[in-house]
Amino acid sequence: MSGEDDLEEVEDDFAPEGPGPSPDPGSEREPASFVEYGIDDKPPLGESVLLGVQHYLTMIGANIAIPLVLAGAMGMPAGATARLIGTFFVVSGIATLAQTTVGNRYPIVQGGTFSMLAPALAIVGVLQTSGAGWETMILQLQGAVIVAGVAEVLIGYFGVMGWLKRHMGPIVIAPVIALIGLSLFNVPQITAPDQNWWLAGLTVALIVLFSQYLKTSHRAFRLFPVLLGLVTAWLLAAGLSVAGVYSPGTAGYVDFSQVFEAQLFVPIYPFQWGTPMFRGSFVIGMFAGMLASVIESFGDYHSVARMAGRGAPSARRIDHGIGMEGLGNLFAGIMGTGNGSTSYTENVGAIGITGVASRYVVQIGAIVAIVVGYVGFVGQLFATIPTPIVGGLFVAMFGQIAAVGLSQLKYVDLDENRNIFIVGLALFAGLAIPNYVSAVGSAGAFQTGLANVAVVGPVLGSEFVAQTLYVIGGTGMAVGGIVAFFLDNTVPGSREERGLTAWEDITEDDSEFRSFWDRHVSDADAEERAPGAD
C-alpha cells in the first residue's frame, strides 16, 4: 500500500476517479467478478452521490426505528424525538467518516445498534419504576454508553479481538455472519401482524428484477437496484395514499404532513440534553451490549471483505476497526443518542446486491446522513418510507448476508463430521437461545430465574452476571460465535480440516494495513528525504 493511499488523506479521497486496480498488494486474493467498484475506486461525483444515497437508504429503517423505540419507552415529546432521530444521523455520518478514514478503512457504515438497545430499554424500565422523567433517562443512558465506549476503545487498541482472531477460522466466522442475517428475520418491519405483504413483496420483486434479471440490460439496473426498487415502491405507495386506497394508520400509508411541519434546522450538539449521569449497574448492562456489538462487527468485517473481493481482514485491521467503533460509542454518548455506534449490517448487504464497495461512495453517504440530521424536513421525508417497503428491503439484503456467511465454508472440509456438527449446533443455538431469552421477558425476570438455579444461583443471579448473560444470550451472532469458537478449539481436528490453513492463505498480512498514523509518518519521512528538502 503506497503512502498516497491515505484517504487520500482526507482531501484527495473526495476527488472523483474512475474504477481501477486496488493499490493494496495481495488484496485481490479472492477476485469477485460482481464487484463494480472496489474499495479504493472513486466513481464520478454525480454517480457517487446517488450510490451514497442508496447506501444511506438501506440503513434508514434501523436509524429511525432505534430512536423511535427509545423515545417511546422514555416518553419523549415530539420535538425531542425529532432531535433524537437527527442526532442518530449526525453521529452515524461522523462515525462513518472516522471509520473509513482513520479506522479500518472498510466501506462500512456506522450507526445505532440493536445490541445496545436491549440494555438501554432495561435501564429505562428500572428508571420508570422510580418515577424518573425522560430527561433523567437519556442522561443515564449517555453515561452508560460513554463508559462502554471507553471499554471498547481499550479492547480494540490493546489488540484483544486481534488476538482472538488467531483462534478463529471459517467454522467460527461462517455461523457468525450467517446469524447476522438470519437473526433479523423477525424484525417488526417484516413480521408486523398488519404487514402489507403486497407492498413488501413488490419491493423484494423489484430489487430482484433489477439486480438479477435486468442487470445486463443497463448499467443503472446493476448499480442502483436498491434505490430503483425502493423509490418505485415508495412513489406507488404515496400515489395510493393520495388516492385514498391506503388510509391513515394502515401499513403502507405515506403521510407527508410531517414533512411540512418539520423544522428547517435541528440544533444538535454535544451534551445537548445536559451532563451525563453514571450508575454502576447501568454501565454493566450497556457493557454487555457493547460486547455483543463487537462480535457482530467482527463478523461484519469479514463479510464486507468477502463481498468486496478482498482477503480476510488482518488482526491489526480488526483492532483498529473495533477501537474506532469504541470512539464512535464515546462520541454517541457525548452527543446523546442514548445508544451506541456499530457497523451496519444493512450496508454490508447493499454491497453484495449492488457490487459497489467503494469507500468513497460510503463517505458520500455519510455526508448525506449528516445533512439529513441537521435539516429537519429532509429526515422527515425519508421517514415517510412505509415500513412494508423497509421490510422488503431487509428481506433482500439480510438473505444475502446469510448466504455470504455460509460461503465461508468452502474453505472447510465438509466431509468431516466434526465440522458439520459444530456449524449446525452453532447456527441452531444462535437462533434458539435468543428466542428463549426473548420469551423470558425483561432482564429482571431473567435475573430472578438465574438466582433460583441450584448451587450456582447466587453467582448467576448477581446483577453483573445476569445482565451480561441476558444481553449476550439475546444476541444470535454472539451465541453462535461463542459456541462455534469453543467447539472448534476443543474438538480434535487438523488445521487443514478446519480450514485454518486455507484461511491463513487468504488473510492479509498485518503489514498490508497501515493505520492513519503510519501513513502520516511515512509521508512526512518521504518529504524529509525528498531532494531539496530542508
Side-chain angles (χ1 to χ4, degrees), residues 81-101:
T81 299
R83 183 190 289 192
L84 183 64
I85 293 174
T87 303
F88 265 74
F89 284 116
V90 171
V91 169
S92 173
I94 294 175
T96 299
L97 289 176
Q99 185 69 279
T100 55
T101 59

Side-chain angles (χ1 to χ4, degrees), residues 397-530:
M397 291 188 305
F398 293 157
Q400 175 88 10
I401 294 166
V404 167
L406 297 177
S407 72
Q408 306 288 334
L409 295 176
K410 74 175 187 176
Y411 303 108
V412 177
D413 185 355
L414 294 178
D415 290 328
E416 286 294 326
N417 181 64
R418 58 96 63 192
N419 295 338
I420 298 293
F421 177 83
I422 293 172
V423 172
L425 183 57
L427 284 172
F428 193 86
L431 293 172
I433 292 178
N435 193 54
Y436 162 74
V437 171
S438 177
V440 169
S442 66
F446 188 76
Q447 182 177 353
T448 300
L450 290 178
N452 293 327
V453 175
V455 183
V456 293
V459 175
L460 294 178
S462 66
E463 187 174 48
F464 174 79
V465 175
Q467 289 199 10
T468 300
L469 291 177
Y470 178 77
V471 175
I472 293 180
T475 307
M477 65 287 301
V479 173
I482 291 170
V483 170
F485 178 82
F486 174 78
L487 293 176
D488 192 40
N489 284 279
T490 55
V491 176
S494 68
R495 294 185 63 82
E496 288 77 14
E497 293 170 354
R498 297 166 60 194
L500 292 176
T501 302
W503 193 253
E504 290 171 356
D505 292 339
I506 63 135
T507 299
E508 63 180 2
D509 296 327
D510 280 344
S511 61
E512 291 180 32
F513 171 73
R514 298 168 65 235
S515 69
F516 182 84
W517 174 254
D518 291 336
R519 296 191 300 275
H520 178 74
V521 171
S522 176
D523 289 347
D525 290 343
E527 289 179 3
E528 290 181 2
R529 292 193 300 269

Side-chain angles (χ1 to χ4, degrees), residues 43-60:
L45 181 59
E47 191 173 283
S48 294
V49 170
L50 290 176
L51 291 170
V53 170
Q54 179 172 248
H55 268 286
Y56 160 69
L57 287 175
T58 65
M59 58 179 250
I60 193 170

Side-chain angles (χ1 to χ4, degrees), residues 194-196 198-200 233-258 260 380-390:
D194 61 343
Q195 176 66 279
N196 185 331
W198 183 90
L199 195 55
W234 187 11
L235 291 175
L236 180 59
L240 293 174
S241 299
V242 172
V245 177
Y246 291 154
S247 57
T250 60
Y253 179 73
V254 178
D255 181 10
F256 287 113
S257 63
Q258 58 185 306
F260 301 113
Q380 288 296 337
L381 175 63
F382 287 119
T384 64
I385 300 176
T387 54
I389 294 179
V390 176

Side-chain angles (χ1 to χ4, degrees), residues 17 65 70 117 152 155 170 183 194 197 208 241 259 274 308 444 457 482:
E17 297 176 7
L70 278 176
L117 179 60
E152 188 172 9
I155 290 173
S183 63
D194 61 343
W197 282 110
V208 172
S241 299
V259 179
I482 291 170

Side-chain angles (χ1 to χ4, degrees), residues 227-283:
L227 184 62
L228 291 171
L230 188 148
V231 171
T232 301
W234 187 11
L235 291 175
L236 180 59
L240 293 174
S241 299
V242 172
V245 177
Y246 291 154
S247 57
T250 60
Y253 179 73
V254 178
D255 181 10
F256 287 113
S257 63
Q258 58 185 306
V259 179
F260 301 113
E261 297 170 359
Q263 293 177 265
L264 176 62
F265 176 77
V266 180
I268 297 169
Y269 48 89
F271 304 115
Q272 58 188 318
W273 312 112
T275 303
M277 299 179 179
F278 301 90
R279 182 167 162 182
S281 59
F282 295 165
V283 169

Side-chain angles (χ1 to χ4, degrees), residues 83-168:
R83 183 190 289 192
L84 183 64
I85 293 174
T87 303
F88 265 74
F89 284 116
V90 171
V91 169
S92 173
I94 294 175
T96 299
L97 289 176
Q99 185 69 279
T100 55
T101 59
V102 185
N104 58 28
R105 305 192 75 230
Y106 274 153
I108 190 165
V109 173
Q110 307 294 291
T113 167
F114 285 102
S115 297
M116 296 175 76
L117 179 60
L121 293 176
I123 291 171
V124 169
V126 171
L127 291 171
Q128 282 176 336
T129 60
S130 63
W134 72 265
E135 297 91 342
T136 300
M137 295 177 185
I138 190 67
L139 294 178
Q140 289 284 5
L141 290 176
Q142 279 187 255
V145 170
I146 287 173
V147 176
V150 172
E152 188 172 9
V153 169
L154 298 177
I155 290 173
Y157 290 119
F158 274 93
V160 175
M161 291 305 295
W163 177 81
L164 284 175
K165 174 183 166 51
R166 296 177 175 86
H167 304 278
M168 294 184 182

